[in-house]
Amino acid sequence: MMITRRNMLVTSVAGVCVLATGRAWSAPPPLKQKQTYKVGFAQTESNNPWRLAETASMQDEAKKLGYQLVYTDAASSAAKQASDVNSMIAQGVDVIFLPPREDKPLVPAILNAKKAGIPVILIDRDVDHALAKPGEDYVTFIGSDFVEEGQRVAAWLAKAVNGQAKIIELEGTTGSSPANDRKKGFDDAIKQWSGMQILASQTGDFARDKGRQVAETLLQAHPETTAIYAHNDEMALGAIAALEAAGKVPGKDVIVVSIDGEKDAVQAIIDGKLAATCECNPRFGPKAFSTMKEYAAGEKLPAYIKNSDSFYDSKNAKDVLSTAF
Ligand code: GYE
């Protein structure tokens, strides 16, 4: 039977509805309009330029607005990030900005914030919508369309190699929304070309050294590799180091493509080592805080607020080097 929201709502008391499934539905907690706010930002880790740029953007914007920013760094641990969120709840912040490291383990902390009357805005990464929903358990998700990023890289690569490649894929953090969706976008898109084949796909946790190690192992197992698709630039740069250590010439023997658009990657394009990268903008501050103010003003927000991304290759890398993060 098709269950619609309408036939699921059986009771409605003070904005709280009880669904036929037994699960209570209610909007995320409201946010008061105030002169200043105490705002939580629970970062996942600080081990790459993308994260550092995101943190700087959030800090700069909070400073500009004169808001107090409670900042934590989960040091690559979803468990620590959950306890960071819980401690922000205990400190009574007005609102929490969260890039959930993985898409399931942060859900209980998000629901705790809701229970405590603190709205959560997800930035940069989303959670599993089967467990928590935008417009219900949290306000909205602001970020790039990761499926589309994967598709754009796939299309660019297929064109560059004339539909013929034996590919190693380096995945981001297991269970993170960008890793899930960049894989889905790319893997589904290349099915259009019968000559595009993924030899191996393994996580490098979005980290440069892990990417290097995994690429080294996979290149040994698959010496016939002609292309590497990394879910972020840091792993692509690690893979380039692995190729060079193996006596291969990146850009000639093996073509490397990735996502993010960090300065080192843009430089690697100029140097001919990286072929292309789809931008993923980390500068969330202005949009995150303006969204928060719109929410406080009672505006109806969409469940998803999309960041738009550029695409860099040898044609435009020089133009964007100075502004890249
Ligand atoms: O691509 C990566 C970072 O969540 C979109 O996480 C972000 C990704 C970004 O560590 O470099």
Side-chain angles (χ1 to χ4, degrees):
M1 184 187 109
M2 173 90 167
I3 300 177
T4 64
R5 172 144 280 172
R6 196 180 226 185
N7 66 27
M8 274 165 52
L9 300 178
V10 290
T11 313
S12 177
V13 190
V16 178
C17 301
V18 180
L19 305 178
T21 54
R23 185 164 176 249
W25 180 87
S26 61
L31 181 63
K32 280 202 193 101
Q33 279 187 300
K34 299 199 291 182
Q35 276 307 311
T36 188
Y37 292 94
K38 187 169 166 186
V39 172
F41 172 46
Q43 182 55 289
T44 60
E45 55 220 345
S46 301
N47 62 349
N48 74 45
W50 197 99
R51 295 274 137 215
L52 297 177
E54 181 184 45
T55 299
S57 176
M58 293 297 286
Q59 287 172 337
D60 290 352
E61 195 65 17
K63 205 169 159 198
K64 209 160 102 190
L65 294 164
Y67 297 174
Q68 184 190 344
L69 191 74
V70 178
Y71 167 75
T72 54
D73 177 348
S76 304
S77 158
K80 166 141 179 11
Q81 192 176 31
S83 79
D84 289 343
V85 171
N86 288 328
S87 98
M88 286 174 184
I89 296 169
Q91 288 175 62
V93 297
D94 295 306
V95 59
I96 296 172
F97 289 113
L98 175 68
R101 187 170 197 275
E102 291 139 52
D103 73 348
K104 290 184 179 65
L106 271 300
V107 169
I110 292 170
L111 299 179
N112 287 344
K114 183 182 182 184
K115 245 182 261 152
I118 300 170
V120 174
I121 297 176
L122 296 188
I123 59 168
D124 118 42
R125 293 186 186 178
D126 204 352
V127 288
D128 183 343
H129 288 186
L131 303 176
K133 290 190 176 28
E136 183 174 335
D137 300 313
Y138 55 98
V139 176
T140 185
F141 165 58
I142 309 172
S144 293
D145 182 333
F146 305 123
V147 171
E148 192 179 281
E149 289 175 344
Q151 288 167 344
R152 289 174 80 183
V153 175
W156 190 97
L157 178 65
K159 197 166 170 219
V161 299
N162 266 321
Q164 297 289 329
K166 295 193 187 316
I167 307 162
I168 285 176
E169 180 169 355
L170 298 176
E171 301 168 18
T173 297
T174 304
S176 71
S177 66
N180 294 342
D181 290 353
R182 286 171 183 171
K183 179 164 180 63
K184 186 176 175 2
F186 182 91
D187 291 12
D188 287 350
I190 63 160
K191 288 183 187 140
Q192 298 168 55
W193 293 275
S194 57
M196 304 279 286
Q197 184 199 348
I198 297 172
L199 301 174
S201 183
Q202 206 175 300
T203 183
D205 203 16
F206 280 133
R208 192 183 293 210
D209 203 51
K210 188 85 191 289
R212 184 190 57 74
Q213 288 170 36
V214 173
E216 195 180 289
T217 309
L218 294 180
L219 283 165
Q220 271 163 17
H222 303 281
E224 71 277 30
T225 301
T226 61
I228 296 179
Y229 163 48
H231 289 188
N232 79 345
D233 288 342
E234 284 292 294
M235 295 189 295
L237 294 167
I240 287 169
L243 284 167
E244 288 174 334
K248 301 203 185 231
V249 182
K252 275 213 177 108
D253 301 328
V254 175
I255 183 168
V256 185
V257 287
S258 66
I259 297 170
D260 269 359
E262 66 172 63
K263 199 184 278 295
D264 282 0
V266 176
Q267 184 62 55
I269 294 176
I270 295 168
D271 297 341
K273 295 182 178 188
L274 181 67
T277 186
C278 181
E279 186 208 21
C280 180
N281 192 341
R283 295 176 176 123
F284 278 85
K287 204 186 265 181
F289 284 89
S290 65
T291 302
M292 171 197 150
K293 283 195 272 182
E294 284 161 20
Y295 187 63
E299 281 177 39
K300 179 108 189 67
L301 296 174
Y304 174 42
I305 299 174
K306 182 180 165 176
N307 283 351
S308 53
D309 301 316
S310 303
F311 198 95
Y312 308 142
D313 59 17
S314 63
K315 285 193 221 79
N316 60 355
K318 277 204 179 90
D319 307 333
V320 296
L321 184 66
S322 67
T323 52
F325 55 91

